[in-house]
């Protein structure tokens, strides 16, 4: 098998499929399937025209995918048109399905996509829109995930750590269509906490409650984002905050610290401050140090840089930021904020505009664009 030949032919085969009208993502999947077939067939039966063989097989694969996609969408439409089901036993197997969908053999993104489709009730189109990818690409991702777990029995599901990760990611998806994913994730985490005596399950539940308590204050009437420091704390749900803090304190008392407990502790310090100015940033930095030790996550270090700036000044925050890779998601937004705090408005405005260009969603893009416009207007006025 000449792997170099396959690699060299791949771009031209892909180009042929695109010229024939195939969507790029679907064409890429079809070419990959054709390459797999070539690896299987060519050693025993090498073709006289390798490129022609690959084009023919890839085009067939694409047509098969297109037909399967059309059939899948029709099945989803038929499900939507079905009448409401009759009475059913009062048994909720949702959490069990989460364990299956969160099988360790799946990547986190595939596990979340499969869970949203199979358990969350979202259509493939809705999930694709949430992930900003073509619908056909998401359909392929979900199909592969289904094939991966097709042989997994319900008595051999994923582990608790994987389920917690998926629940957290589903919670962070927020709200999509008529499905309130955040509320559903909280409901299922409550079930898991009732079934499993584990401090990290309690930590995740506390974290969700503390974040969800700020839901009403996160957006303005026009739908624009409201930063934490500017939120009306009178609109926070104090009942959820009290419950989250109580659950967290009980989990921390067991002295088995995990990343969700540490995140919840940071959220609790924000929730406990009567005003933004009274936030205990020194203690928040200490918790970020613990979280860094637990996860060694560059995203955690990015958030820690903000906390350091609030505790010790923007220069300290910029020094912490300088140790990180500038390609990190939201790096430019954090850098813009810290440079603004340090008085460097031209650099801050430029970075806000850069961050807006990279923003993962419209609300965040609009917020960052307004920040850049605000600084540019201020500079012109000065």
């Amino acid at each position: 098998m000449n792997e170099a030949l396959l690699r060299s032919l791949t771009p031209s085969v892909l180009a042929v499929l695109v010229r024939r009208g195939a969507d790029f993502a679907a064409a890429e999947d079809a070419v990959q399937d054709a390459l797999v077939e070539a690896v299987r067939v060519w050693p025993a039966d090498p073709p006289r025209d390798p490129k022609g063989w690959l084009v023919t097989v890839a085009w067939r694969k694409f047509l098969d995918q297109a037909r399967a996609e059309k059939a899948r969408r029709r099945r989803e439409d038929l499900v939507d048109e079905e009448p409401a089901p009759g009475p059913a036993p009062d048994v909720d197997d949702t959490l069990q399905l989460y364990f299956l969908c969160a099988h360790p053999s799946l990547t986190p993104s595939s596990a979340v996509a499969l869970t949203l489709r199979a358990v969350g009730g979202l259509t493939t189109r809705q999930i694709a829109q949430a992930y900003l990818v073509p619908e056909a690409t998401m359909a392929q991702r979900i199909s592969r995930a289904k094939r991966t777990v097709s042989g997994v029995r319900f008595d051999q599901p994923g582990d608790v750590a994987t389920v917690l990760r998926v629940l957290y990611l589903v919670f962070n998806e927020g709200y999509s269509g008529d499905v309130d994913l955040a509320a559903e994730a909280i409901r299922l985490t409550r079930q898991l906490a009732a079934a499993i005596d584990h401090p990290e399950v309690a930590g995740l539940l506390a974290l969700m409650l503390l974040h969800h308590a700020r839901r009403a204050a996160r957006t303005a009437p026009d739908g624009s984002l409201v930063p934490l420091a500017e939120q009306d704390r009178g609109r926070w749900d104090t009942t959820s905050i009290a419950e989250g803090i109580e659950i967290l304190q009980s989990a921390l008392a067991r002295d088995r610290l995990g990343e969700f407990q540490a995140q919840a502790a940071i959220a609790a310090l924000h929730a406990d401050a009567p005003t933004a100015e009274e936030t205990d940033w020194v203690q928040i930095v200490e918790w970020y140090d613990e979280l860094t030790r637990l996860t060694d996550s560059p995203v955690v270090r990015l958030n820690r840089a903000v906390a350091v700036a609030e505790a010790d000044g923007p220069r300290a925050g910029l020094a912490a930021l300088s140790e990180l890779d500038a390609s990190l998601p939201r790096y430019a937004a954090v850098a813009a904020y810290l440079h603004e705090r340090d008085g460097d408005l031209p650099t801050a405005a430029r970075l806000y505009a850069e961050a807006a260009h990279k923003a993962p969603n419209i609300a965040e893009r609009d917020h960052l664009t307004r920040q850049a416009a605000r600084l540019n207007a201020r500079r012109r006025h000065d």
Side-chain angles (χ1 to χ4, degrees), residues 324-352:
L324 302 176
D325 186 344
S327 66
L328 277 173
R330 295 186 172 89
Y331 179 99
V334 170
Y337 173 74
L338 297 184
H339 278 289
E340 180 183 359
R341 286 282 312 279
D342 195 39
D344 186 352
L345 301 190
T347 300
R350 175 180 58 78
L351 287 168
Y352 275 130

Side-chain angles (χ1 to χ4, degrees), residues 32 229 253 294 376:
Q32 291 301 317
L294 290 165
N376 285 326

Side-chain angles (χ1 to χ4, degrees), residues 6 18 23 56 64 121 175-176 181 201 209 218-220 224 228-229 251 300 341 347 373:
L6 285 177
V18 172
D23 170 82
T56 300
D64 288 344
Y175 327 103
S176 179
L181 297 176
V201 177
L209 290 169
R218 280 202 185 99
T219 54
S224 59
L228 175 61
V300 170
R341 286 282 312 279
T347 300

Side-chain angles (χ1 to χ4, degrees), residues 14-28 30 58-59 62-63:
L14 182 60
V16 171
L17 264 65
V18 172
R19 284 199 299 271
R20 289 185 179 183
D23 170 82
F24 183 84
E28 195 172 32
W59 185 246
F62 167 73
L63 293 177

Side-chain angles (χ1 to χ4, degrees), residues 170-226:
V170 170
F171 175 82
N172 285 334
E173 285 296 327
Y175 327 103
S176 179
D178 296 326
V179 181
D180 188 337
L181 297 176
E184 176 67 359
I186 290 173
R187 184 184 73 83
L188 292 171
T189 306
R190 284 190 188 278
Q191 284 190 11
L192 190 59
I196 300 176
D197 183 20
H198 193 295
E200 272 294 82
V201 177
L204 178 58
L205 178 57
L207 176 62
M208 288 179 174
L209 290 169
L210 290 164
H211 279 320
H212 206 55
R214 303 199 298 263
R215 173 179 180 171
R218 280 202 185 99
T219 54
D222 63 359
S224 59
L225 292 179
V226 180

